[in-house]
Amino acid sequence: MNSDRAQALTQQVTDAVLAVPGVACLRPGLRSLLRAAGPRQRSAADRSDPGTAVRVVYDARGRIAALRIDVVVRAQHHAARTADAVRAAASEAAAAPPGAVRVTVTGIV
């Protein structure tokens, strides 16, 4: 997938996620940050930066194989419901199947 198109998709998903009620911000979790710091060889299908809060993994045909999102949820909102809403919004924004979207709540503020 060409990098301009990938960046546009990432921005589109980011905008959709930030519009979900209860999302305070996007922030990668500790695991993602440690992966970014470590010497890891990424496959051709996984060209996204593992230290970012929105990561897209493509299959060999250039289709979305996985979409991983790290969010911080506002304390007044139920984290599981917010994560479900984020999954739905990201799936729609990326035209990806909901099963391909994984949402991790990395904090509550």
Side-chain angles (χ1 to χ4, degrees):
M1 163 119 348
N2 118 11
S3 67
D4 290 338
R5 189 169 165 204
Q7 284 181 332
L9 176 65
T10 300
Q11 187 60 52
Q12 191 173 345
V13 170
T14 298
D15 293 343
V17 167
L18 290 174
V20 172
V23 173
C25 63
L26 293 164
R27 183 178 65 193
L30 181 60
R31 179 178 290 173
S32 294
L33 295 172
L34 289 174
R35 279 188 189 141
R40 179 176 167 244
Q41 292 297 105
R42 290 190 308 228
S43 68
D46 185 8
R47 295 275 186 214
S48 61
D49 180 5
T52 63
V54 176
R55 295 173 308 284
V56 182
V57 178
Y58 299 96
D59 65 12
R61 295 184 179 172
R63 295 179 297 196
I64 297 172
L67 182 58
R68 299 181 183 116
I69 303 165
D70 297 335
V71 297
V72 175
V73 174
R74 296 191 184 280
Q76 309 90 307
H77 295 285
H78 192 267
R81 287 186 193 133
T82 303
D84 287 342
V86 166
R87 183 177 298 104
S91 174
E92 184 177 328
V101 181
R102 187 179 79 197
V103 178
T104 304
V105 175
T106 60
I108 298 176
V109 293

